[in-house]
Amino acid sequence: MNHKLHLESQDMKKLPSKSASLNPKEKKHAASAAPAQSSGLHLHTSTAVQKPAPAAYVMPPQLQAALNQVWQKSLPLLQQRVGVLDDALAATKAGQLNPELRAAAALEAHRLAGLLGTFGHPHGTDAARMFEIVFDSDAVLTPKLAESLSPALSTLHTIMSK
Amino acid sequence: MGPSYMRKILIVDDEDDIRAVAALCLETIAGWEVCTATSGSEGIRRALETRPDAILLDVMMPEMDGPTTFQHLQQDPHTRSIPVLLLTAKVQGADQRRFADMGVAAVLSKPFDPLTLGLQISAALGWER
């Protein structure tokens, strides 16, 4: 599991700030480099030199370990949910999607979308959301449309294999 | 509210993983006491038993969904004053507005950030941390 969950709250456990020990020049460099990080953070880097560096927070190790356990425990169920999407997509490609499977796929996609981001998989939420939108819509599902969902399904499988 | 007071929050969600993560975060990070329920009807029972300071209520649940559960809580004078925060993976603006118009304290989105869930609840309810 790859948690990329960082925040800036004063209420969370403060970890040692990497920039706290830097000289002003280094701080400026650190501030300008921050947006390039791939964490998805919203860092207030423009004021990093004038004010104490904003506190950077990461998942406390104990909490991360506990979340990992929940993830591992949940994984079989999550894989089952992705399996429903597998079935629905295959049925759509074959022109054999029935209303029951379509509704089940929409529900499982909804559940996956609501959960994967919490476990540090925002791309998983995005991928599942695509399924939810498509299967929950009134649109006629064509094999071509199903094909366009294949990358999203691959994303979900990749996450499930971690 | 004295500093020694421990908030108590009831999480009502049919999904085990969501309940587990939310409980873990609210206990570990926010330091609150957490009780859980797996359905709307159990949530109503638990609300009466435990009298929580707030209820985090999932919208989409089988049998009794979140909005219906909220209506039941509102009809009971013993639970009417407990603030309810709806938790939903519905992202459509119309859904969010409909939920907000029901009179709940807040509508929180899934997926939630485990690190900030407690902050979101506190902010929505005006709780000091």
Side-chain angles (χ1 to χ4, degrees):
Chain A
M1 181 165 53
N2 179 23
H3 279 295
K4 293 180 179 177
L5 299 167
H6 300 233
L7 64 156
E8 301 167 354
S9 162
Q10 297 298 321
D11 295 315
M12 295 298 172
K13 184 180 179 183
K14 189 181 285 185
L15 297 181
S17 169
K18 188 179 178 182
S19 63
S21 61
L22 301 179
N23 65 39
K25 189 176 178 182
E26 289 172 323
K27 282 183 180 177
K28 189 174 183 180
H29 175 73
S32 63
Q37 293 173 348
S38 60
S39 62
L41 275 174
H42 300 289
L43 293 173
H44 301 300
T45 55
S46 61
T47 57
V49 177
Q50 290 80 19
K51 295 179 180 179
Y57 300 90
V58 297
M59 184 75 69
Q62 288 173 327
L63 179 60
Q64 180 144 356
L67 287 173
N68 283 341
Q69 285 185 347
V70 176
W71 171 259
Q72 290 301 328
K73 191 176 174 185
S74 303
L75 202 47
L77 179 60
L78 299 178
Q79 288 167 335
Q80 280 181 24
R81 290 176 177 169
V82 174
V84 174
L85 302 187
D86 275 328
D87 295 344
L89 205 58
T92 305
K93 286 176 181 175
Q96 297 174 342
L97 180 67
N98 60 51
E100 291 76 22
L101 183 53
R102 180 172 181 157
L107 177 60
E108 300 302 357
H110 175 80
R111 288 173 165 165
L112 286 165
L115 183 69
L116 292 176
T118 292
F119 281 110
H121 298 297
H123 296 308
T125 283
D126 293 343
R129 193 84 76 195
M130 287 177 67
F131 275 91
E132 181 187 3
I133 290 168
V134 169
F135 285 108
D136 200 31
S137 71
D138 296 326
V140 176
L141 302 186
T142 62
K144 187 177 177 183
L145 180 58
E147 196 60 50
S148 70
L149 286 172
S150 292
L153 191 58
S154 296
T155 297
L156 293 171
H157 278 294
T158 301
I159 290 169
M160 294 301 130
S161 67
K162 287 180 181 174
Chain B
M1 196 70 67
S4 63
Y5 180 81
M6 180 183 277
R7 304 277 188 194
K8 187 193 299 178
I9 189 153
L10 171 62
I11 300 169
V12 185
D13 200 308
D14 63 310
E15 293 185 61
D16 294 345
D17 32 27
I18 292 285
R19 271 198 324 277
V21 174
L24 195 59
C25 298
L26 296 182
E27 287 172 345
T28 307
I29 298 180
W32 298 338
E33 181 182 347
V34 173
C35 41
T36 62
T38 62
S39 67
S41 54
E42 186 188 355
I44 292 167
R45 262 199 326 273
R46 296 285 285 152
L48 283 166
E49 290 166 4
T50 62
R51 304 296 170 93
D53 295 298
I55 299 173
L56 189 59
L57 178 62
D58 182 36
V59 167
M60 193 179 284
M61 293 186 291
E63 295 173 19
M64 187 186 293
D65 65 10
T68 306
T69 304
F70 174 69
Q71 286 171 356
H72 281 280
L73 290 166
Q74 288 292 291
Q75 287 164 5
D76 189 325
H78 296 104
T79 54
R80 182 180 299 155
S81 60
I82 302 172
V84 172
L85 302 97
L86 284 180
L87 191 59
T88 179
K90 289 281 185 190
V91 291
Q92 300 288 336
D95 289 324
Q96 297 264 350
R97 279 192 296 279
R98 180 166 57 87
F99 298 145
D101 289 346
M102 290 171 49
V104 296
V107 181
L108 305 184
S109 295
K110 287 183 186 175
F112 57 81
D113 181 340
L115 286 177
T116 58
L117 180 61
L119 285 176
Q120 286 186 65
I121 293 171
S122 292
L125 299 179
W127 288 355
E128 291 182 7
R129 295 286 309 274

